């Protein structure tokens, strides 16, 4: 991916123009205006306006004796489709959980833990499982019961065979970027700035295990850094070679 220049005596002028071309390219691309998001005004409001990213909440579950046994902080956004009673057709609704309105509860057992978040007309239950052989945990189930004003009747979306947020006992699972968790055909959960630890909590979060998305994010600065290092090396080499040459030139005179 990084072009490695094997030519030993590449003239420094060429390198200079290469650098120049790179910087010009950068300024050009920086000037490209951002794509304008088209606002649809003609179509009927089948899918209402998407709210902004949700606020991050902090939710703890304490065991009988006031010891915290589950830690979670995350922003949560529900994306559900259901038949609207007023429109008489399927609508897509995206709604954020509001940490200041959410009541949290839950329970902890040796190999399972639940976190229940309740707001107005919504109950959202996270079920975590711990495999005591491999000492790995994961989000194994999620249930949303919702009774939104536009629903003809309350609905339940449930999946008990999930495999999300896989972490190691004693560690926390972290995903800073938005992640879309598909739960059922009609319900997906979007998580933001998430960090959870459903087992082995010792006062605070354990060392974080990052999700793939975050690791990909780390890769970009590493690649850019490596490319820059190579460029600097080339320039230094060219300078040294150039200096040696002119030095040799003076000697022959
Ligand atoms: C909600 O889900 C629908 C259907 O899966 C998808 O097209 C849409 O982009 C989602 N919206 C958000 C904000 O996640
Ligand atoms: C929480 O308490 C229950 C009994 O009340 C106990 O069985 C369980 O091991 C405790 N869990 C933790 C994580 O302390
Ligand atoms: C727990 O992990 C072990 C070892 O990875 C595996 O063999 C076993 O099937 C797992 N148990 C469950 C209930 O998933
Ligand atoms: C949420 O749970 C509470 C307590 O179990 C219950 O009273 C309420 O009806 C539930 N709400 C929905 C929308 O299912
Ligand atoms: C539950 O989630 C799994 C894994 O994402 C998926 O394969 C399965 O179809 C889902 N089940 C239901 C009832 O939506
Ligand atoms: C949850 O626990 C963390 C760490 O112990 C603490 O900083 C935070 O204030 C707690 N949040 C709530 C809502 O109790």
């Amino acid at each position: 991916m990084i072009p490695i220049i094997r030519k030993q005596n590449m003239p420094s002028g060429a390198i200079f123009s290469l650098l120049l071309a790179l910087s010009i390219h950068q300024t050009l691309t920086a000037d490209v205006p951002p794509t304008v998001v088209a606002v649809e005004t003609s179509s009927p409001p089948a899918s209402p306006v998407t709210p902004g990213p949700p606020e991050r909440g902090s939710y703890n579950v304490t065991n009988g004796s006031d010891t915290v046994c589950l830690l979670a902080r995350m922003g949560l956004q529900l994306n559900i489709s259901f038949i609207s009673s007023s429109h008489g057709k399927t609508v897509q609704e995206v709604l954020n959980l509001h940490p200041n309105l959410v009541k949290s509860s839950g329970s902890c057992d040796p190999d399972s833990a639940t976190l229940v978040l309740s707001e107005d007309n919504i109950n959202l239950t996270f079920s975590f499982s711990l495999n005591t052989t491999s000492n790995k945990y994961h989000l194994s189930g999620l249930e949303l019961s919702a009774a939104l004003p536009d629903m003809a009747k309350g609905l339940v979306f449930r999946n008990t065979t999930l495999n999300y947020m896989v972490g190691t006992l004693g560690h926390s699972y972290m995903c800073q970027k938005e992640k879309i968790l598909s739960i059922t055909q009609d319900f997906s959960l979007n998580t933001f700035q998430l960090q959870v630890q459903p087992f082995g909590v010792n006062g605070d979060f354990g060392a974080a295990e990052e999700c793939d998305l975050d690791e990909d994010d780390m890769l970009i600065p590493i690649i850019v850094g490596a490319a820059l290092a190579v460029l600097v090396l080339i320039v230094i080499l060219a300078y040294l070679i150039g200096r040696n040459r002119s030095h040799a030139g003076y000697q022959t005179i």
Side-chain angles (χ1 to χ4, degrees), residues 140 158-164 181-187:
S140 54
R158 182 192 298 123
N159 191 332
T160 55
T161 57
L162 301 173
N163 192 23
Y164 294 128
L181 307 181
S182 168
I183 311 299
T184 69
Q185 207 175 347
D186 296 328
F187 169 44

Side-chain angles (χ1 to χ4, degrees), residues 63 69 108 110:
N63 210 10
C69 57
C108 301

Side-chain angles (χ1 to χ4, degrees), residues 20-188:
L20 197 67
L22 270 177
S23 56
I24 287 170
H25 173 73
Q26 253 177 348
T27 42
L28 281 181
T29 46
D31 282 346
V32 173
T35 37
V36 179
V37 179
V39 181
E40 281 191 21
T41 44
S42 50
S43 65
S47 46
V49 196
T50 305
E55 205 186 313
R56 192 190 204 194
S58 195
Y59 313 106
N60 301 340
V61 176
T62 51
N63 210 10
S65 52
D66 266 358
T67 43
V68 177
C69 57
L70 183 152
L71 287 170
R73 51 184 178 196
M74 52 198 171
L76 295 171
Q77 191 173 67
L78 311 173
N79 186 353
I80 52 184
S81 75
F82 60 92
I83 297 171
S84 152
S85 50
S86 60
H87 291 88
K89 60 172 179 173
T90 303
V91 293
Q92 195 84 36
E93 189 146 357
V94 177
L95 40 104
N96 290 346
L97 259 64
H98 306 93
N100 50 338
L101 300 177
V102 168
K103 290 199 166 52
S104 70
S105 58
S107 63
C108 301
D109 285 308
D111 62 356
S112 69
T114 59
L115 170 67
V116 184
L117 304 179
S118 303
E119 187 181 322
D120 282 348
N121 31 32
I122 285 164
N123 287 333
L124 183 65
T125 306
F126 295 79
S127 303
F128 296 94
S129 304
L130 175 70
N131 182 329
T132 47
T133 314
S134 62
N135 279 341
K136 291 269 185 188
Y137 62 79
H138 67 282
L139 177 72
S140 54
L142 196 72
E143 179 177 319
L144 168 70
S145 57
L148 303 182
D150 206 18
M151 285 177 169
K153 59 180 171 63
L155 292 177
V156 177
F157 307 87
R158 182 192 298 123
N159 191 332
T160 55
T161 57
L162 301 173
N163 192 23
Y164 294 128
M165 304 183 197
V166 180
T168 310
L169 182 64
H171 293 235
S172 59
Y173 173 87
M174 186 154 90
C175 204
Q176 293 289 342
K177 304 203 98 181
E178 177 184 359
K179 188 142 187 173
I180 298 168
L181 307 181
S182 168
I183 311 299
T184 69
Q185 207 175 347
D186 296 328
F187 169 44
S188 59

